[in-house]
Amino acid sequence: MQVIQSLEALRAVLADYRDAGDRTALVPTMGNLHRGHLALAEQATRLADHTVVSIFVNPTQFAEGEDYKTYPRTLDKDTLVLKRSGVDIIFAPSVSEVYPFGQSAATRIHVPEIGDDLCGRHRAGHFDGVASVVCRLLFMVQPHVAVFGEKDYQQLQLLKRLVSDLSIPTQIESAPTVRESDGLAMSSRNQYLSEAERGIAPELHATLQAAATMLAAGEADFDRVEQRAIERLEEAGFKTDYVAVRDAATLTPPLAASEAFVVLAAGWLGSARLIDNVVQPNPRFAD
Ligand code: PAF
């Protein structure tokens, strides 16, 4: 496995892969890798001949006052984590490699509607930053396939829309959320939790499961489902940004005719903003 920092060096290796007619997969990450990332990398290695994991803490997706400066940068540890994963390249570019004209002069991608909703409402410019950096990474690596985690459900839908809308010839694949034994979704931000907050954190997933159970039982008053979940989270000690029931395929408000629902939530425990989601098939279509 090679750690490559410059685009020029990356392109040289990728050209060899292309000349050999091999398929390449990309797993974009911000590093501080955990088992969730490893699952993405493992999936990528099954889908292509060569896998590139990018590690780049992208400044443009952090809103004003967020944790860009303190976000854990752990390249040495990440290299060890990936050592036996079958990954060929860690691409760890500098900010100037990714944004050669500087951040304020950089071309930006805005994905309307999906990007303005849910987390987009609470994190100004976040999804423009995500769309812009993923677009750049896709152009740099030109992978056949890119793999993203389902924990970031809104991000995943937004990126699928982006590649479809811009006819980017990369297949977007996803991998299920990896959880701790108590249900907490793995996230680099879990390390911001104090011991007491860590004890409360699994309530996020439990609450979403309870909401999904209401939907499975045929509850069609989606506001009621959301309200119940918000109350439960707030009682547990969360400061909730939102809980939303949506159509799982489009992220638009759910309809009786939706094939599946997704319940998404974001909430704060101290300085940690946690997100999670649960997909629930519409019981109307159960056979
Ligand atoms: O999900 C993430 O870690 C980031 O949003 C991504 C996709 C690597 C873009 O910086």
Side-chain angles (χ1 to χ4, degrees), residues 27-31 37 54 56-58 61 71 126 129-131 133-134 137 148-149 152 155 159:
V27 181
T29 80
M30 297 208 299
H37 295 111
S54 63
F56 178 64
V57 183
N58 172 37
Q61 71 187 75
Y71 197 88
H126 169 67
V130 170
V133 80
V134 170
L137 291 166
F148 297 88
D152 296 287
Q155 169 173 283
L159 295 172

Side-chain angles (χ1 to χ4, degrees), residues 10 13 25 40 54 111 117 119 125 128 141 158 188 208 211 213 226-229 237 241 264 274 276 280 282 286:
L10 177 72
V13 181
L40 301 181
S54 63
V111 183
D117 198 10
C119 282
D128 290 1
V141 179
L158 175 125
S188 300
L208 292 177
T213 303
E226 292 171 359
Q227 216 37 57
R228 276 267 185 92
D241 272 355
L264 309 105
L274 305 182
D276 204 348
Q280 175 61 52
N282 187 342

Side-chain angles (χ1 to χ4, degrees), residues 189-201 269-272:
R189 290 191 166 101
N190 291 350
Q191 62 193 256
Y192 298 162
L193 295 166
S194 68
E195 206 182 317
E197 290 159 355
R198 177 64 188 82
I200 299 169
L269 281 175
S271 62

